[in-house]
Amino acid sequence: MYDTDVAVVGGGAAGLSLAYRLCAPPPGTPCPEVTVVDAPPGPLRPPERTWCYWEGPGGEFDGVLAASWDRLRVHGADGSALTGDPGPLRYKMMRSGAFERLVGERLAAAPGARRVTAAVQDVRGLPHGAEVRGVSARGEPVRLRARWVFDSRPLPALPPARTTLLQHFHGWLVRTERPEFDPATADLMDFRTPQPHHGLSFGYVLPLNAHEALVEYTEFSAAPLDEAAYHRALRHYLSEVRALGPYRVTASEQGAIPMTDARFPRRAGARVFRIGTAGGATRPSTGYTFAAVQRQSRAIAAAFHRGRTPVPPPAHSARSRLMDAVLLRALDSGRIDGADFFTGLFRGVPMERLLRFLDGGTRLREDLSIGLHTPVLPMLRTVAELPRLRRARPGQEETAR
């Protein structure tokens, strides 16, 4: 006997996206019993946060977007501004709370769907299924038996890799007294920030209107900063680089995304699978995850509804993962200047093609063409070096064999 057909562990982007699609079967297909296990309020449940992605207009989540932009801008370290139109793509911003409410409405209308609050401690295999074990917010034991389990919890430790960096950031939602922002243009990368020795840093500005924007300071480096350092970087960026007039901070968010060429196993048992970042959905070279999560959840739900084994597919192609491994190693070794690298790409490649490339949607011929706009010799040297590098746990020194 099973309590549910599918247990989805974790109520973040990956878990909610999968539940959303499982509860919308094709006509004539019964709706499965789906149980989402959310962490109770506290350190295991992240605060509201922002997810960004790009696609054409008319997307299925357009009704809950916080904003979207059809013009993107990149500032080089020298102050030069590159503005492009990625049409037919648009850059889209969603708040996690709005997405959670949308999914909640679908789950409430689906027979057999429910949400359980528990801190999951263990997922154990059973004959023809698995059992989720945890503790409720009141300290009571929770046991949930399911035919299939999809686990989106962060891994306790990252797998071994040749290179592991973090994309870590701190953002402020700011409101200005004067109209300081162009609501039609998002600043994707502003490299007029002090650059770390290895890696890169940039400002990121998503305007909601002329007076309000989400402004983030982001670094690609080996370790996060403390809160005071993030605040100093943001104050410097807003006052010295952007030269804003008076402003006040109305909200904040902070995060760290692993950027690694590690191999993420998507199967944790005969009927237990990892999804989201834990299942390799994060693009190692950019940190973007939401679009890959949608591809992954669509494929899982389609397989389930057809009666097939719902194994999560790879979120990124082998070619994309190889290119990401080369870039991460070149950044971490200091072989390339990160700000110059990305500025060169945006300067030399049409915006729409570059966004498709960053999402793994380009063909081999396009990839080779884009590669000519990178520092070719340092990148080729890195390609030759990769086979000699051993994979190590984060924090351990990577050495050649």
Side-chain angles (χ1 to χ4, degrees):
M1 297 294 294
Y2 293 91
D3 303 308
T4 187
D5 292 322
V6 178
V8 179
V9 180
L16 292 178
S17 297
L18 179 56
Y20 181 84
R21 300 189 188 286
L22 287 171
C23 291
T29 303
C31 185
E33 294 181 341
V34 178
T35 302
V36 178
V37 186
D38 282 316
L44 295 179
R45 178 180 290 189
E48 187 169 17
R49 55 219 179 276
T50 300
W51 298 320
C52 291
Y53 58 104
W54 48 85
E55 63 176 5
E60 62 184 318
F61 303 131
D62 278 9
V64 295
L65 294 177
S68 65
W69 303 269
D70 55 15
R71 234 177 19 244
L72 300 176
R73 183 166 55 205
V74 171
H75 289 273
D78 61 359
S80 60
L82 307 168
T83 304
D85 179 353
L89 303 177
R90 289 179 64 85
Y91 195 74
K92 301 182 178 184
M93 168 185 172
M94 180 190 299
R95 297 289 288 168
S96 60
F99 185 66
E100 185 172 356
R101 289 188 290 274
L102 176 69
V103 176
E105 291 172 2
R106 174 166 288 186
L107 296 183
R114 60 174 175 153
R115 300 180 74 168
V116 173
T117 300
V120 174
Q121 299 171 321
D122 191 23
V123 179
R124 299 184 180 183
L126 298 174
H128 310 296
E131 183 177 60
V132 178
R133 297 186 178 191
V135 179
S136 73
R138 294 184 294 182
E140 300 167 341
V142 173
R143 292 188 178 183
L144 178 69
R145 293 164 298 175
R147 299 183 186 278
W148 305 96
V149 175
F150 296 89
D151 192 348
S152 68
R153 292 175 299 164
L155 297 176
L158 290 175
R162 290 167 295 198
T163 309
T164 298
L165 297 175
L166 288 178
Q167 180 184 160
H168 51 97
F169 58 90
H170 192 96
W172 285 344
L173 187 63
V174 300
R175 183 162 186 82
T176 61
E177 293 183 4
R178 301 194 301 259
E180 301 276 8
F181 305 110
D182 175 5
T185 304
D187 286 294
L188 203 59
M189 289 178 160
D190 187 341
F191 293 111
R192 295 174 294 174
T193 52
Q195 296 298 311
H197 181 56
H198 286 177
L200 69 151
S201 73
F202 56 89
Y204 178 53
V205 182
L206 302 180
L208 304 180
N209 53 59
H211 292 267
E212 194 172 20
L214 175 64
V215 182
E216 291 186 350
Y217 173 79
T218 300
E219 275 194 18
F220 291 7
S221 59
L225 309 178
D226 59 35
E227 188 170 332
Y230 286 121
H231 288 185
R232 286 194 300 271
L234 279 166
R235 285 194 294 267
H236 173 268
Y237 180 70
L238 291 171
S239 301
E240 303 298 326
V241 177
R242 297 290 299 222
L244 295 187
Y247 66 87
R248 60 187 177 90
V249 178
T250 60
S252 66
E253 65 177 38
Q254 183 170 325
I257 302 168
M259 303 180 67
T260 171
D261 66 353
R263 301 186 183 104
F264 287 82
R266 299 183 304 282
R267 195 159 202 159
R271 288 177 172 251
V272 181
F273 305 101
R274 292 193 177 100
I275 57 174
T277 295
T282 297
R283 183 73 195 262
S285 61
T286 66
Y288 284 100
T289 306
F290 190 81
V293 158
Q294 302 315 308
R295 294 193 295 268
Q296 194 179 66
S297 61
R298 283 192 199 99
I300 294 169
F304 181 89
H305 291 143
R306 292 170 186 157
R308 300 174 182 170
T309 302
V311 181
H316 307 287
S317 70
R319 189 168 80 244
S320 294
R321 295 195 300 272
L322 174 60
M323 291 187 294
D324 289 347
V326 173
L327 173 58
L328 291 177
R329 178 64 184 175
L331 283 173
D332 192 41
S333 65
R335 198 166 285 149
I336 63 171
D337 180 284
D340 288 346
F341 177 89
F342 281 102
T343 303
L345 283 180
F346 279 96
R347 180 179 291 118
V349 181
M351 187 78 72
E352 182 268 346
R353 185 185 304 167
L354 185 55
L355 290 185
R356 285 193 294 110
F357 170 76
L358 295 177
D359 206 28
T362 45
R363 299 183 295 273
L364 176 60
R365 183 175 179 179
E366 292 175 299
D367 292 346
L368 294 174
S369 173
I370 291 169
L372 295 177
H373 294 280
T374 69
V376 175
L377 291 179
M379 299 300 277
L380 289 177
R381 180 182 170 191
T382 306
V383 170
E385 179 188 50
L386 280 181
R388 298 184 291 111
L389 298 175
R390 70 180 181 90
R391 294 182 180 270
R393 294 282 180 184
Q396 297 176 352
E397 184 179 357
E398 296 170 357
T399 58
R401 288 175 183 154

